[in-house]
Amino acid sequence: MPLEIDILTIFPRMLDGVFGESMLKRAQAASLVRIRCVNLRDFATGVHRTSDDRPYGGGPGMVMKPEPWGEALDELLL
């Protein structure tokens, strides 16, 4: 049974190069590991599929919404 690794990210295509090279590529080809990059935006609602929002109370930066994380984890863990 291969080691299964699920990575939740809003930029899954950025990791294609990393996991498609060297030892990780060989391990996947030999069915020793299965790496799946899951797009967190697939679990976001709304027209723009946003997974982040402004922080409560204002201030700089953005914070991740908990709803897409919850939906994604529910699906991955079942």
Side-chain angles (χ1 to χ4, degrees), residues 2 7 9 11 15-16 19 21 29-30 34 38 40 44 50 52-53 58 62 64 67 74 76-77:
I7 299 171
T9 177
F11 302 112
L15 301 173
D16 289 345
F19 298 127
E21 298 295 327
R34 182 191 59 83
V38 178
L40 194 57
T50 56
D52 57 357
D53 204 354
M62 301 290 277
M64 300 297 291
E67 295 85 6
D74 284 346
L76 290 174
L77 296 174

Side-chain angles (χ1 to χ4, degrees), residues 20-72:
E21 298 295 327
S22 188
M23 298 302 283
L24 292 173
K25 180 179 179 180
R26 289 182 186 183
Q28 290 180 81
S31 297
L32 298 174
V33 65
R34 182 191 59 83
I35 301 172
R36 180 171 52 168
C37 294
V38 178
N39 191 345
L40 194 57
R41 292 179 195 265
D42 291 342
F43 300 94
T45 58
V47 177
H48 300 290
R49 318 280 291 171
T50 56
S51 59
D52 57 357
D53 204 354
R54 294 182 180 171
Y56 181 77
M62 301 290 277
V63 294
M64 300 297 291
K65 292 181 178 180
E67 295 85 6
W69 283 97
E71 294 291 328

